[in-house]
Amino acid sequence: MQLNLPEPSADALYASRNLHTLIANDIRHNSGWIPFSRFMELALYAPGLGYYSGGAAKLGKDGDFTTAPEITPLFGESLAHVAAELMAQSAPQIIEFGAGTGKLARDVLTELAALGVTVHRYAIVELSGELRERQQHTLRGFPQVTWLDHFPAAFSGVVLGNEVLDAMPVNLVVKTPQGWKERGIGLADKRFVYRDHPCPPSLVAQIPDADALPVGYVTEVHPVSVAFMRSLAGMLTAGYDQNGYGGAAILIDYGFPAAEYYLGQRAQGTLMCHYRHHAHDDPFYYPGLQDITAHVDFTAMARTAIEGGLDLLGYTSQAAFLLDAGIGDLLLRTSPSDQLRYLPQANALQKLTSPAEMGELFKVMVVGTHVQLPGKFARNDRSYRL
């Protein structure tokens, strides 16, 4: 299939070819086959060459996609109000995973300061060297911000993760006449091709009613994000065990409950690639130069959190969560009569909350221990769907 996408620069093309060679060698060293999760891990995170670990701009008009914090500060300001109520029950600390350009952190910290809420430490776990540099520039006026390379062993406070789970490597499985197979990557004339291998039962176990799905059905399963949730639960429960203060994680991403994720009409899965604001479904296109994502199975995430000792505090659409958090009132801090300032913010709010835009596709899940979401969030809660 020929994709009609913008041509990369010579330097970008050179880096992509080097990454192609690295992945191809990894395939050869593993008897000619690697799981798709390994391909995705290298394409996104191979040191110096992967999409998130290389040097290309990822976000904004010069990047490949735009996230909610890039659209409007109202997003971060809304989260700040929720974080303030959660920190009042726990500790004045925040950890953000995958902080993008740093705009979310800046908006959250600015709004918390305006509320008179002190954050003793705002830690960012960031795998991308390029994004870390942008964050350090954006947040140079906030001395409480620090950077970490990995999960701390214990933590109390608020965890933020906006579009983090969707960037974690997934495994692909396919239903064949002989049963479920794992779809991985091989080589044919130096090109990447899909090849199917016997499937570990643990992968199929995540799919509800797997036997009922039709032959030819392709989907993703999420052992890496499940492991992330397990570590998150361990970190928050250890925080409470060590210092008596609880914590909560606010996770925002696009995805579905399992009953909706594994529907018959999603027979080719949810894998998607983003390159220069073009979306397509070919993960082999210029590895290292494009993002590769999959929708989140929120049922699997919630189940893992609960098994790790956390409570499911809430699950709803992004629109409902932001509106319950007071984003409409925050918009009205700008007078509607000031059209030059008000209209762009009103349009941004519409993009974040409209069912036709990000409002329904994106979901918010909150998990934690020894804290509660304010009661106003109960009216739109959809936890029963998980």
Side-chain angles (χ1 to χ4, degrees), residues 238-287:
Y240 180 77
D241 291 342
Q242 286 188 18
N243 57 45
Y245 293 105
I250 304 171
L251 303 169
I252 306 166
D253 230 310
Y254 45 90
F256 312 99
E260 298 173 26
Y261 197 107
Y262 301 106
L263 285 174
Q265 69 239 42
R266 251 184 280 285
Q268 296 306 305
T270 70
L271 202 70
M272 188 58 61
C273 305
H274 299 273
Y275 176 73
R276 306 271 190 90
H277 294 278
H278 291 72
H280 64 92
D281 61 0
D282 181 3
F284 303 150
Y285 180 83
Y286 293 138

Side-chain angles (χ1 to χ4, degrees), residues 82-381:
V82 185
E85 298 193 68
L86 292 170
M87 285 192 296
Q89 304 172 55
S90 54
Q93 301 183 105
I94 296 174
I95 289 182
E96 184 180 356
F97 286 91
T101 63
K103 286 185 177 178
L104 177 58
R106 185 181 67 190
D107 295 339
V108 167
L109 286 168
T110 300
E111 183 68 12
L112 286 171
L115 294 171
V117 176
T118 299
V119 179
H120 292 169
R121 187 181 189 221
Y122 193 115
I124 293 174
V125 179
E126 179 58 67
L127 298 178
S128 167
E130 181 263 334
L131 288 176
R132 183 181 287 208
E133 286 184 12
R134 294 176 72 177
Q135 293 159 14
Q136 289 169 340
H137 176 75
T138 300
L139 298 165
R140 60 193 181 280
F142 297 90
Q144 68 271 60
V145 178
T146 60
W147 280 263
L148 305 174
D149 294 321
H150 49 75
F151 270 92
F155 174 79
S156 298
V158 173
V159 177
L160 299 177
N162 182 55
E163 293 200 55
V164 170
L165 294 171
D166 70 80
M168 295 185 181
V170 295
N171 292 65
L172 295 183
V173 294
V174 56
K175 182 81 168 287
T176 75
Q178 293 76 40
W180 286 95
K181 302 285 187 182
E182 181 173 8
R183 178 154 288 179
I185 312 300
L187 290 170
D189 298 326
K190 298 183 180 180
R191 292 179 298 106
F192 298 132
V193 294
Y194 285 123
R195 290 213 173 114
D196 298 340
H197 268 211
C199 184
S202 61
L203 293 182
V204 182
Q206 185 178 311
I207 305 171
D209 300 321
D211 291 343
L213 293 171
V215 170
Y217 194 94
V218 179
T219 192
E220 308 89 23
V221 288
H222 306 79
V224 176
S225 51
V226 163
F228 172 87
M229 293 301 297
R230 195 174 293 123
S231 296
L232 178 68
M235 179 184 76
L236 291 175
T237 55
Y240 180 77
D241 291 342
Q242 286 188 18
N243 57 45
Y245 293 105
I250 304 171
L251 303 169
I252 306 166
D253 230 310
Y254 45 90
F256 312 99
E260 298 173 26
Y261 197 107
Y262 301 106
L263 285 174
Q265 69 239 42
R266 251 184 280 285
Q268 296 306 305
T270 70
L271 202 70
M272 188 58 61
C273 305
H274 299 273
Y275 176 73
R276 306 271 190 90
H277 294 278
H278 291 72
H280 64 92
D281 61 0
D282 181 3
F284 303 150
Y285 180 83
Y286 293 138
L289 304 187
Q290 63 175 357
D291 193 18
I292 305 172
T293 72
H295 285 51
V296 176
D297 174 356
F298 278 105
T299 299
M301 302 305 108
R303 182 187 301 119
T304 304
I306 292 168
E307 290 171 352
L310 299 183
D311 300 316
L312 175 61
L313 304 178
Y315 170 74
T316 191
S317 67
Q318 176 175 286
F321 187 84
L322 291 176
L323 291 169
D324 288 341
I327 195 170
D329 294 332
L330 295 174
L331 169 66
L332 291 176
R333 294 193 300 197
T334 301
S335 171
S337 62
D338 185 355
Q339 294 191 12
L340 282 178
R341 293 177 62 235
Y342 178 82
L343 286 179
Q345 293 302 309
N347 289 337
L349 186 150
Q350 168 77 2
K351 186 174 181 66
L352 293 182
T353 59
S354 167
E357 299 267 4
M358 299 172 71
E360 186 59 39
L361 177 62
F362 280 74
K363 308 299 192 305
V364 182
M365 187 176 76
V366 186
V367 294
T369 182
H370 294 87
V371 296
Q372 293 294 326
L373 275 175
K376 61 190 174 185
F377 289 95
R379 59 192 168 197
N380 289 306
D381 186 63

Side-chain angles (χ1 to χ4, degrees), residues 19 22-23 36-46 49-54 283 286-292:
L19 180 57
L22 185 150
I23 297 173
F36 183 82
S37 57
R38 175 62 176 166
F39 172 86
M40 188 170 170
E41 176 191 353
L42 292 171
L44 297 181
Y45 302 110
L49 294 173
Y51 180 76
Y52 283 108
S53 52
Y286 293 138
L289 304 187
Q290 63 175 357
D291 193 18
I292 305 172

